[in-house]
Amino acid sequence: DYLRWRATNVLQQKQSGYFLVQVRLELGDITPSQLRTLAFAAREFGDGTVRSTNQQNFVLRWIRLDRVPALYRLLASVGLATASAERLGDVTACPGGDTCQLGITSSRGLATALGDVFKDVLRDLADEAGIRIKISGCPNSCGQHHIANIGFYGGAKKFNGQQAPTYQMMLGASLEQGQVQYAKPVAKVPSKNIPGAVEALLRLYQAERQ
């Protein structure tokens, strides 16, 4: 577990001998006791500051290499040492219909379901770098679905006379310098079919990527 976390969450700074540690928050959630531990970790191991990212994670900087294992043990003791930070398995989602009055679908629920997929049938792809999944509970872009390699935004559609939650699948965004483009709409998929659709898409990617 430590070696996987080290490979995905720890990055070398340009300053020799120092490292940046990404603290992955599942669904962007953190408890008061975890925050206190994070504040202690920042003072004890880094420069005393904690940075937030637009990927719903936190970052600790100025960590010496010889102190990384002790920092991992501390973070793991409070559930803050989840691997795959900023990787494929680290799904970003807005609050969605759970708490937002504009939300149509439960984007957090879908993010949880996809997280389970990456812990099971797609665990071999969870640490893939350079691909992100982002979910919004409505057409507004709070979940950043428009700049995701695989993005979803919530809606509704009638099937056999009954209205059901759906997601518009968006594919192909790029943020590389000189190649910036938004994701394009591909298909409208019922919510319950999204995990299967993501699995099929990623297996195709795995088989045919160049």
Side-chain angles (χ1 to χ4, degrees):
D1 288 343
Y2 167 74
L3 292 177
R4 181 187 174 196
W5 173 86
R6 166 81 183 273
T8 59
N9 293 38
V10 180
L11 303 172
Q12 187 167 3
Q13 293 181 196
K14 65 180 181 180
Q15 295 85 3
S16 178
Y18 291 98
F19 290 77
L20 173 153
V21 173
Q22 300 180 98
V23 180
R24 178 184 167 191
L25 305 181
E26 296 192 58
L27 297 179
D29 290 341
I30 190 167
T31 67
S33 60
Q34 287 175 326
L35 273 174
R36 284 191 287 270
T37 300
L38 194 62
F40 172 79
R43 293 191 299 267
E44 181 70 16
F45 296 93
D47 64 346
T49 63
V50 179
R51 296 189 178 203
S52 62
T53 78
N54 64 353
Q55 310 296 327
Q56 300 177 330
N57 293 326
F58 284 130
V59 168
L60 300 174
R61 300 181 70 224
W62 299 102
I63 311 297
R64 293 203 318 270
L65 180 61
D66 61 336
R67 305 213 67 194
V68 169
L71 174 60
Y72 170 80
R73 289 192 293 270
L74 176 64
L75 294 176
S77 70
V78 294
L80 290 178
T82 305
S84 299
E86 314 285 321
R87 303 296 179 98
L88 181 54
D90 188 6
V91 179
T92 303
C94 73
D98 294 351
T99 57
C100 177
Q101 293 183 354
L102 298 178
I104 302 170
T105 56
S106 176
S107 46
R108 285 170 58 87
L110 177 58
T112 299
L114 290 178
D116 291 340
V117 170
F118 284 113
K119 293 174 184 176
D120 188 16
V121 294
L122 290 178
R123 59 184 176 274
D124 58 318
L125 288 174
D127 296 344
E128 193 78 18
I131 311 176
R132 296 301 307 276
I133 296 177
K134 300 177 185 293
I135 307 167
S136 300
C138 75
N140 291 314
S141 57
C142 301
Q144 304 177 352
H145 61 265
H146 62 299
I147 59 171
N149 309 101
I150 304 174
F152 297 97
Y153 70 81
K157 184 178 179 180
K158 282 190 175 182
F159 296 90
N160 300 319
Q162 291 191 339
Q163 187 163 287
T166 62
Y167 282 92
Q168 176 67 58
M169 177 186 285
M170 312 280 289
L171 296 179
S174 172
L175 298 180
E176 294 184 21
Q177 188 171 358
Q179 300 179 4
V180 176
Q181 65 179 21
Y182 287 148
K184 297 179 180 180
V186 174
K188 187 170 285 189
V189 185
S191 297
K192 65 179 182 180
N193 293 342
I194 294 293
V198 168
E199 180 182 354
L201 181 66
L202 289 175
R203 289 306 183 196
L204 178 65
Y205 161 77
Q206 187 179 39
E208 298 187 7
R209 62 181 169 180
Q210 299 179 359

